[in-house]
Amino acid sequence: SNKDEVSILVVNSPTNGGNFTIFDFSRDTNLQIKLAKNTKYQFKFQNNPPNFCLYIDGQKFSLEEGKIIEILFNQGGNYSIKANACDLQDKTIGTIIVE
């Protein structure tokens, strides 16, 4: 899909007049969220595991505690929203030397 269809920012605090929605990972599931195009929405997430990311239409965003996702869709359509652990780079912690 075209990356111009969706505009997403991660912000520290809600903007006045924004459409504000809170998602709760401890209870929300199978949500059907209806949004209008060309309208800015703000999503806040709570009770999410640490190092968790939101994936919207293939774009990845970190869900840090207290951060707000500001989102605007320029086109109509269905967009998948998934949440999962953020992919981490492998961390090298040492070497095993076998003799």
Side-chain angles (χ1 to χ4, degrees), residues 37-55:
K37 65 182 177 182
N38 298 318
T39 303
K40 189 179 286 183
Y41 294 90
Q42 294 175 334
F43 296 165
K44 186 167 184 175
F45 298 85
Q46 59 190 32
N47 297 318
N48 42 301
N51 192 39
F52 224 56
C53 276
L54 183 72
Y55 298 84

Side-chain angles (χ1 to χ4, degrees), residues 4-99:
D4 295 338
E5 291 178 11
V6 66
S7 160
I8 302 177
L9 290 172
V10 179
V11 296
N12 290 315
S13 58
T15 339
N16 291 337
N19 298 295
F20 200 69
T21 306
I22 294 178
F23 295 91
D24 188 336
F25 276 93
S26 65
R27 62 164 200 258
D28 290 344
T29 182
N30 292 325
L31 295 173
Q32 296 284 313
I33 306 158
K34 291 184 170 45
L35 305 178
K37 65 182 177 182
N38 298 318
T39 303
K40 189 179 286 183
Y41 294 90
Q42 294 175 334
F43 296 165
K44 186 167 184 175
F45 298 85
Q46 59 190 32
N47 297 318
N48 42 301
N51 192 39
F52 224 56
C53 276
L54 183 72
Y55 298 84
I56 298 179
D57 204 34
Q59 296 183 64
K60 180 174 86 171
F61 303 92
S62 177
L63 297 179
E64 294 174 46
E65 194 63 44
K67 294 284 188 197
I68 293 161
I69 305 277
E70 208 169 71
I71 187 164
L72 184 146
F73 291 91
N74 302 313
Q75 308 267 331
N78 292 343
Y79 299 84
S80 67
I81 297 180
K82 300 175 183 170
N84 207 332
C86 303
D87 292 328
L88 289 178
Q89 296 298 319
D90 290 337
K91 180 179 175 187
T92 302
I93 56 172
T95 306
I96 294 175
I97 300 166
V98 179
E99 294 179 341

